[in-house]
Every structure is written in C-alpha cells, then in structure tokens.
Amino acid sequence: MILNEVTKTILERRSIRAYKPEQISEEELETVLECGVNAPSGANRQQWFVSVMQDKAFLEEISEKLYAWRIANAASEEEIARINSRPRSAHFGAPTVLWCAYPAADGPANLGFLAENMVLTAASIGLGTCFLGGIMAYLKGTEEGKELVSRMKLPEGYELAYGLTLGYPAESPEAKPREKKWIRI
Ligand SMILES: Cc1cc2nc3c(=O)[nH]c(=O)nc-3n(C[C@H](O)[C@H](O)[C@H](O)COP(=O)(O)O)c2cc1C
C-alpha cells in the first residue's frame, strides 16, 4: 500500500487511555479544532458542536459521580472488584475533553467526520485521544448525568454523542487486529 504522512498517521494512531497531567498548548488545541471543522459535511451545514472542557474540578466531578453510580449499579461483587482495580477516571486523566454533539433533528452523520479529523490531527502532532462512548449510558440515562450535561454549554436541541480525550500520551499501546471481511470488492 501507499505510505505517506497521512496514511502512516492513520495506521499508527491508537486509542490512548493514560495521559501526562500537563495541559496541551493553545496552538495544539487550535490545530485540532481547526482541522476538525475542515471535515466534509452535507451541503456544508456543519452539523456539529464541540464543547472544550479543561476544568479539572468539573472533570473530576464527572469521574467521582460516574464511579459512584457504576458501583451502586454493579451486578455483582466481581464487577465491583473489577471497577476498583482500575484508576477511577472517566477520562483516563486527560487534561482536555472535547464533548461532541450534533443537532438532534439532523442526526450524527457529520459529527463522525469532524471527530475523526480531530483524532487524526491529534495523532499527527503527538497528542493522544480516546472516544468516551461508554459513559453515555450514565450521562444521558440518569438525572444526575443529565445535570452534568446541562453544564457542558451545548446549544439548545443538540444531543451529546461522545467525549474525546485529548492530551500528551503516557502509554503507547499495540494495534488491535483488524479484519477485512467487512469489505467486498
Ligand atoms: C464511538 C466510539 C466509542 C468508544 N467508546 C470507548 C469507551 O467508552 N471507552 C474506551 O476505553 N474506548 C472507547 N472507544 C475506543 C475503542 O475501544 C477503540 O477505538 C477500538 O478498540 C480500536 O482500538 P484503537 O482505537 O486503539 O485502534 C470508542 C470508540 C468509538 C469509535
């Protein structure tokens, strides 16, 4: 296959679940966001919204409440032990989380392109990312979670889709296997 800077970034990007505590620079954040909004969108309607969160206290509040909820709703002692065996951070200690939303009336199709542009841009400048999808059951399915979302400053009528962690990686995981059976030529 053809290898260039773009294809190498795509192949080398991995989800990062451990971060250094230092905040990323404004230039790095701006680069990720600018490349994000340069994604394609239907009729250039740009149906997406990103709420940048760098408020450490707010991120820690989300983690504390999420883990209290997970433990209160755990199905077994084993599950509680599993939860307690890992660091209690909803965002893997990343100093920045990009909360990604879409207009509920239009759907999330465009948002995926924005998010992938941001993920690949981040990887290309040495930043780590990881989508936070699992947390949505709590953020959207509980009153406490909805209260947290109400403080994310999303515009009226926008639906939260996922969070995206952003920071300097503190791990370099191996690639997980990929299958090509989902492609037919
Ligand atoms: C929409 C979406 C939601 C995800 N949610 C989570 C999540 O809640 N927690 C997590 O650790 N990883 C999450 N991931 C990351 C995937 O687990 C990861 O992309 C996949 O295992 C492939 O690994 P790689 O990204 O390192 O190539 C999510 C990825 C996507 C695209």
Side-chain angles (χ1 to χ4, degrees):
M1 66 171 285
I2 298 166
L3 288 178
N4 60 29
E5 278 193 44
V6 174
T7 57
K8 274 193 236 165
T9 297
I10 290 170
L11 294 173
E12 287 167 11
R13 178 217 57 85
R14 302 275 69 91
S15 292
I16 299 299
R17 299 182 178 87
Y19 292 88
K20 296 178 182 163
E22 294 83 43
Q23 187 54 272
I24 61 170
S25 71
E26 278 184 29
E27 186 184 26
E28 287 166 331
L29 178 63
E30 181 57 29
T31 303
V32 168
L33 296 173
E34 184 63 31
C35 289
V37 299
N38 270 278
S41 67
N44 194 29
R45 288 178 63 207
Q46 302 165 54
Q47 294 158 316
W48 48 54
F49 188 85
V50 179
S51 175
V52 179
M53 190 181 285
Q54 297 186 315
D55 179 341
K56 199 164 184 267
F58 195 178
L59 288 169
E60 280 170 9
E61 181 183 349
I62 294 173
S63 288
E64 276 166 29
K65 289 182 171 168
L66 171 74
Y67 277 86
W69 175 79
R70 279 190 179 158
I71 285 175
N73 290 282
S76 63
E77 287 300 319
E78 288 75 33
E79 192 180 339
I80 292 176
R82 193 172 50 79
I83 293 168
N84 284 332
S85 70
R86 297 179 192 159
R88 284 192 180 199
S89 176
H91 51 98
F92 309 112
T96 297
V97 176
L98 309 178
W99 297 104
C100 301
Y102 60 92
D106 297 308
N110 292 322
L111 179 64
F113 295 96
L114 165 100
E116 185 64 356
N117 264 22
M118 295 197 299
V119 160
L120 292 175
T121 302
S124 76
I125 59 174
L127 298 177
T129 57
C130 186
F131 282 99
L132 304 175
I135 193 180
M136 290 304 131
Y138 168 70
L139 288 179
K140 292 165 76 169
T142 69
E143 288 311 310
E144 193 178 65
K146 287 178 195 168
E147 192 277 327
L148 292 167
V149 174
S150 76
R151 288 155 53 198
M152 289 179 186
K153 300 186 177 151
L154 303 180
E156 190 67 28
Y158 277 64
E159 189 79 24
L160 185 63
Y162 33 71
L164 187 62
T165 59
L166 196 55
Y168 300 121
E171 64 165 12
S172 19
E174 292 296 314
K176 292 177 184 169
R178 268 20 186 208
E179 297 197 44
K180 286 209 182 142
K181 68 178 181 184
W182 309 114
I183 299 170
R184 186 171 296 155
I185 297 175

